[in-house]
Amino acid sequence: MVLINKIYLLLIFGLVFQLGNAQYISVDESFTALQLVQDKLINSPCANVFNVTVSGGNFASGEKSYGYFEATGTGFPFTNGIVLTTGKAINTIGPNASLSDDGGNMGWNGDSDLNQALGLTNTFNATVLEFDFIPQGDHISFDYIFSSEQYLLNPSANQCNFTDGFAFLLKRNGDTNYQNLAVVPNTTIPVKVNTVRGPGTICPPANAAYFDAFNDINHPTNFNGQTKVLTAQSDVTPGDTYHIKLVIADEGNYRYDSALFLGGESFNFGVDLGEDRLIANGTALCPTQTLSLNATQSSAISYQWFQNNIELYGETNPTYLVTSAGDYSVTINYGGNCETTGTITVEYAVDLIVNQTRFSECDNDANQDGITAFNLTDIIPDLFTNLPSNYTISFYELTTSTSALPSIYTNTTPFQQTIYARITNIQGCYSDYPIDLIVNIFPTTITDEEVGLCENTSTILDAGSGFTSYTWNTNPIQNTQTITVANPGTYSVILTNASNCSKTKTFTVTPSGIATINDIIIIDFSENNTITVDYTGISTYVFSLDGTNYQSSPTFTNLIEGAYTVYVKDTKDCGVVPATFYILDYPKFFTPNGDGINDFWSIKNLNQRNLQNGTIEIFDRYGKPIHQINTRNQVWDGTFNGVNLPSSDYWFQMKLADGKIIKGHFSLKR
């Protein structure tokens, strides 16, 4: 039983080991140069290949710097192919867990043709695969990936220009100079670490669209990063002899190896039918346009055209006229099993149907001058009923403008302006489309209001008439001009006018109520008789002595003797509270001449202030007491012991029940 368990564990371990290895490429160094080129890189009966050689590192342990790789099931873009490296080919195998750093102190030279192609003088450790060939078609191409340890995820600034060099050098027999096919697409820039690099490090990205990734440990190869699959290609003359040299080398020193992975059977002796005609590239055909494809080859025996991998019966001429979109290919037979192909993808621009060309916005600022911002990106989906998602639309102020308007554009002509929509990624198929930008206004002035809510009542909020819709922030939403509210709070309503423009009006509803008068503080018998209303309440109040004219201050000054009523009114119209008070003062003179007018001197309304129990003593100018006013004798007639006193100034002293004493003087006039 124990033995069976051990065998079972060994089987499981072996299976895990095999599954683990399956995620990394494998390398076989046993193939000859001819086998690598003829069987692995080309593998075509049309191949006329000779003078095949390969050279690289002479490692003492017998390893090579080139070989055949297999990558089935690893996720690597190529299933198989050829690897050329500046170190040991076997060290290109993943995971990316160690530094591939071979070739030191070996006397392993660089390559003079690579130096010349890249303008270098310091290459080392060159691996070269070269051969002669005679093409049947007029075009050759093959796929490759450039991988390198010098794609550093955390480089220092001085490492940003570290790179190795490689080139795919092609020349026709008899020509002097090579052409380098290993360039950034649509440029003459050689592919290197510092010319194809993605973002994410302190080093600047370069042609990042062609960079694949910085690698973690679990990668099929033992390199820090690599390009995407790139294609080297060139036009050639059928029947002429060409020499191609595939070379890679360390630059500067042997440190940090790099490698070329050439896609298996990707070397194609085909025919060039031209660049793909794509919407994304701006080269798609216009709706009624045709395209003539020419696959003529001087030594061809037959042709067969296909659309979307379906044979086009009867289309056996060297030319074909494209009238609809599709993936087109032609198979060219040169006799026996020798066939080459050419491919091209043709897309057609859509015949656009205009949906909407007038777009409006509301002028939402205060001055309502017909100028506002438009989000032109939001306009695009409504322009056409059949706009494909990959069409690029920009807007221009004039049909002659070359600078596109920003996505957030503020019109320069008030209220209405015409701009132009232009399809920018399909050239020549469409004219500019005029677009009208309309600016509507909301001219009505809207003023926020503060409203009082009287205790135990409700109030009506009126948003005003003349609007097409009302949207209150109540729960549930109400859509009427007026609403009734019973609770304090902030209420807002969106007012929309006939131009579909809106403004928001806010009502601040605050609790309110009538005041409570606690006391009336009176200062009288003075040069400036004054009262102050002592009140409490939850609202704001105004004050009046006549019930008509109100003031915000509860204090009234310069009051004369007499009876008054003070009114305290809630500013939110919850009510008015009155209170009566009396200002006391003494007459400054009296005229006891028997005419019935002002014949007696007294202080009025003492009883209204509960001061009637006080006594008032009157003195002549010498301080002699001459009369006393009390509850029994409430006035003085200007006599003393029945005799009229002369005109003069007299003094009085009033003693109140609380002990307060009031003094003053007055005149007797006869």
Side-chain angles (χ1 to χ4, degrees), residues 615-619 651-655 661-664:
T615 59
I616 303 173
E617 292 185 341
I618 299 174
F619 305 88
W651 277 255
F652 75 91
Q653 176 178 282
M654 183 170 66
K655 294 182 178 179
I661 297 176
I662 298 173
K663 297 180 179 181

Side-chain angles (χ1 to χ4, degrees), residues 161-209:
N161 285 320
F162 284 10
T163 183
D164 288 333
F166 74 98
F168 301 143
L169 303 176
L170 176 71
K171 69 178 178 180
R172 187 168 56 178
N173 193 21
D175 290 348
T176 303
N177 297 322
Y178 280 111
Q179 173 192 0
N180 182 17
L181 309 185
V183 293
V184 176
N186 303 312
T187 75
T188 58
I189 301 171
V191 175
K192 299 187 349 181
V193 170
N194 56 0
T195 63
V196 178
R197 176 168 48 212
T201 74
I202 65 171
C203 299
N207 298 298

Side-chain angles (χ1 to χ4, degrees), residues 24-64:
Y24 308 123
I25 67 169
S26 63
V27 173
D28 187 341
E29 299 178 347
S30 65
F31 290 91
T32 66
L34 183 60
Q35 289 172 324
L36 289 175
V37 172
Q38 188 164 274
D39 299 338
K40 303 303 181 183
L41 182 61
I42 300 175
N43 193 23
S44 168
C46 295
N48 189 351
V49 176
F50 49 97
N51 295 334
V52 182
T53 63
V54 64
S55 62
N58 296 312
F59 295 99
S61 52
E63 290 97 338
K64 298 178 181 177

Side-chain angles (χ1 to χ4, degrees), residues 517-522 531 533 544-545 562-568 577-583 605 608-609:
I517 298 177
N518 302 317
D519 192 11
I520 297 178
I521 301 170
I522 301 173
I531 67 105
V533 181
S544 174
L545 292 181
Y564 292 86
T565 299
V566 64
Y567 302 89
V568 181
V577 178
T580 300
F581 66 92
Y582 295 86
I583 294 293
N605 295 318
Q608 301 295 338
R609 295 269 294 278

Side-chain angles (χ1 to χ4, degrees), residues 495-513:
L495 308 173
T496 303
N497 67 7
S499 298
N500 202 35
C501 294
S502 300
K503 285 185 179 180
T504 299
K505 181 179 179 70
T506 299
F507 293 85
T508 303
V509 178
T510 57
S512 189

